[in-house]
């Protein structure tokens, strides 16, 4: 197979003036300021170099969350992701540049199509915004061959919206240049009180998967059963502290529990989680442990062990 050219300069995240390491953690804006900062400081002490701030309905504005974290920690802060279908590119530029002015060049811009029902329009808005913000060296959230091809030529890196090694290995075949890539998905050390949140997060990833992935990996049955779910209602139940098992319509989530956990999460006992991260690092430069990982103190407490194992994997690959 022909060797792919590697993009240099700031067109590749690997060339930025900071290192984010092999593992990052997603931290969302539904915690109060004190708890947000407390979690971030623990994560920093465990050897993590980057926090990824998500954008989701009902969460605080990710720029507000990023400012709180930047003022209270020394972490690199990535946006994973911001959607041009929810906010204008002009606003993204102004807010992002303001953060850099205040706290220095330690931010990573991540853009994605978002959850717009009209996927063709969402793609057009994404392409337009990536090109408009090219000088800010954005990463792009990807879950389809079309977006991977575009992103590999027009961005500083790819955030794969998947933590399944087989899916990522397949998607990487559509990269037209060597470029930074990260696997981004729900994670948790089990057992945990947040196991239902993990299943909901996995269901959200499945619902947002491209038709190519659904077809290629024989996910049509589980996709069609879960697409009928009222996920916002189930998420609200969890925010109130209620179990979704009390809601009869959540049955498909538990019916497909095994497949959801295996295909769409990094979860299990600590050795299971480490092994999955090491497998993903064979294809990607970085792995993001996403919601609900940051919510669980037990999960956060073993981050140092995860970091050590991930770095040893990198050192082994470089030999």
């Amino acid at each position: 197979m022909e060797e792919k050219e590697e993009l240099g300069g700031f067109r590749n995240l690997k060339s930025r003036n900071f290192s984010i390491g092999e593992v990052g953690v997603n931290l969302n804006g539904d915690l109060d300021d004190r708890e947000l900062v407390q979690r971030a400081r623990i994560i920093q002490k465990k050897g993590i170099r980057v926090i990824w701030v998500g954008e989701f309905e009902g969460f605080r504005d990710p720029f507000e969350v990023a400012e709180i974290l930047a003022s209270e920690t020394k972490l690199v802060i990535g946006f994973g992701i911001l959607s041009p279908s929810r906010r204008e590119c002009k606003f993204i530029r102004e807010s992002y540049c303001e953060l850099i002015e205040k706290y220095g060049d330690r931010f990573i811009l991540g853009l994605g199509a978002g959850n717009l029902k009209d996927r063709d329009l969402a793609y057009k808005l994404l392409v337009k915004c990536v090109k408009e913000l090219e000088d800010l060296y954005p990463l792009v959230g990807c879950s389809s061959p079309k977006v991977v091809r575009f992103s590999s030529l027009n961005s500083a890196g790819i955030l794969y919206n998947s933590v399944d090694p087989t899916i990522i290995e397949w998607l990487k075949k559509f990269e037209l240049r060597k470029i930074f890539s990260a696997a981004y998905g729900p994670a948790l050390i089990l057992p945990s009180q947040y196991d239902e949140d993990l299943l909901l997060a996995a269901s959200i990833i499945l619902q947002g998967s491209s038709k190519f992935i659904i077809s290629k990996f024989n996910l049509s049955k589980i996709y069609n059963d879960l697409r009928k779910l009222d996920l916002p209602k189930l998420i609200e139940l969890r925010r109130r502290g209620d179990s979704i098992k009390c809601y009869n319509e959540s049955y498909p989530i538990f019916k497909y529990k095994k497949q959801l956990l295996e295909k769409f999460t990094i979860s299990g006992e600590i050795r299971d989680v480490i092994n999955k991260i090491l497998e993903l690092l064979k294809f990607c430069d970085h792995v993001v442990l996403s919601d609900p990982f940051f919510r669980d103190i037990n999960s956060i407490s073993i981050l140092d062990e995860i970091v050590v194992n991930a770095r040893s994997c990198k050192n082994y690959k470089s030999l």
Side-chain angles (χ1 to χ4, degrees):
M1 190 172 71
E2 185 180 348
E3 183 71 16
K4 295 175 184 176
E5 178 188 348
E6 181 163 12
L7 290 171
F10 286 109
R11 292 289 301 284
N12 193 333
L13 184 66
K14 295 176 187 177
S15 302
R16 293 290 293 275
N17 62 352
F18 51 72
S19 169
I20 63 171
E22 293 73 43
V23 179
V25 177
N26 159 238
L27 194 57
N28 287 328
D30 58 336
L31 301 178
D32 62 44
D33 290 2
R34 187 183 65 81
E35 196 170 7
L36 195 67
V37 171
Q38 182 185 53
R39 297 291 169 99
R41 285 176 174 166
I42 294 171
I43 289 166
Q44 182 175 266
K45 285 180 181 177
K46 293 292 182 178
I48 296 293
R49 300 173 189 168
V50 59
I51 288 282
W52 296 88
V53 179
E55 177 183 68
F56 196 73
E57 196 71 41
F59 289 174
R60 275 190 292 176
D61 186 279
F63 285 108
E64 180 186 340
V65 175
E67 177 142 27
I68 293 167
L69 295 173
S71 65
E72 298 290 341
T73 74
K74 295 180 180 179
L75 290 158
V76 172
I77 297 164
F79 292 94
I81 52 142
L82 302 172
S83 171
S85 63
R86 293 180 62 135
R87 61 187 78 224
E88 293 183 7
C89 291
K90 180 183 176 183
F91 174 80
I92 293 175
R93 175 183 290 279
E94 289 172 355
S95 302
Y96 186 76
C97 291
E98 187 177 322
L99 284 173
I100 291 175
E101 266 187 47
K102 283 185 178 180
Y103 303 105
D105 183 20
R106 57 182 173 110
F107 297 88
I108 303 169
L109 180 61
L111 300 173
N115 296 320
L116 205 62
K117 287 186 178 179
D118 186 337
R119 294 201 174 187
D120 288 336
L121 176 59
Y123 177 71
K124 287 176 183 176
L125 290 172
L126 174 63
V127 168
K128 181 175 180 288
C129 198
V130 170
K131 290 182 176 178
E132 280 186 25
L133 303 181
E134 182 182 21
D135 58 310
L136 301 181
Y137 322 112
L139 308 185
V140 178
C142 295
S143 60
S144 73
K146 182 179 181 180
V147 182
V148 171
R149 282 192 292 263
F150 167 77
S151 304
S152 65
L153 290 177
N154 296 280
S155 76
I158 291 173
L159 294 174
Y160 282 110
N161 192 28
S162 173
V163 287
D164 185 303
T166 58
I167 290 177
I168 291 179
E169 183 180 21
W170 177 70
L171 283 171
K172 284 187 74 68
K173 293 176 182 177
F174 299 95
E175 291 181 10
L176 301 177
R177 294 287 188 276
K178 281 185 180 178
I179 197 165
F180 170 87
S181 66
Y184 198 121
L188 193 64
I189 302 295
L190 296 173
S192 168
Q193 69 187 89
Y194 299 98
D195 57 347
E196 291 186 8
D197 301 278
L198 181 69
L199 288 169
L200 282 175
S203 301
I204 291 169
I205 299 297
L206 173 62
Q207 283 196 358
S209 297
S210 73
K211 61 183 180 182
F212 303 99
I213 287 176
I214 299 300
S215 173
K216 173 74 177 176
F217 294 94
N218 301 314
L219 297 169
S220 296
K221 180 71 170 70
I222 180 174
Y223 175 79
N224 288 328
D225 282 358
L226 266 67
R227 70 186 299 191
K228 303 166 190 171
L229 291 173
D230 185 352
L231 285 176
K233 183 173 182 178
L234 295 177
I235 291 167
E236 185 55 36
L237 281 172
R238 288 300 299 145
R239 284 184 182 165
R240 295 203 308 257
D242 297 332
S243 170
I244 62 172
K245 287 180 181 176
C246 302
Y247 185 60
N248 291 335
E249 291 180 35
S250 68
Y251 169 74
I253 290 180
F254 296 98
K255 175 184 177 182
Y256 294 109
K257 178 178 178 178
K258 183 180 179 183
Q259 294 97 311
L260 285 170
L261 294 181
E262 288 179 355
K263 203 82 177 167
F264 299 99
T265 77
I266 302 171
S267 62
E269 296 180 357
I270 182 168
R271 181 39 59 185
D272 300 321
V273 168
I274 289 172
N275 286 342
K276 183 102 177 239
I277 291 171
L278 296 181
E279 186 66 23
L280 288 164
L281 288 172
K282 292 178 183 178
F283 306 104
C284 297
D285 303 291
H286 186 75
V287 176
V288 183
L289 306 176
S290 186
D291 200 349
F293 190 90
F294 72 90
R295 302 180 189 281
D296 185 62
I297 292 298
N298 181 50
S299 292
I300 292 175
S301 69
I302 52 81
L303 269 172
D304 44 0
E305 188 172 343
I306 290 174
V307 170
V308 167
N309 278 271
R311 286 181 185 163
S312 67
C313 170
K314 179 184 177 183
N315 293 335
Y316 176 77
K317 287 198 296 184
S318 65
L319 291 176

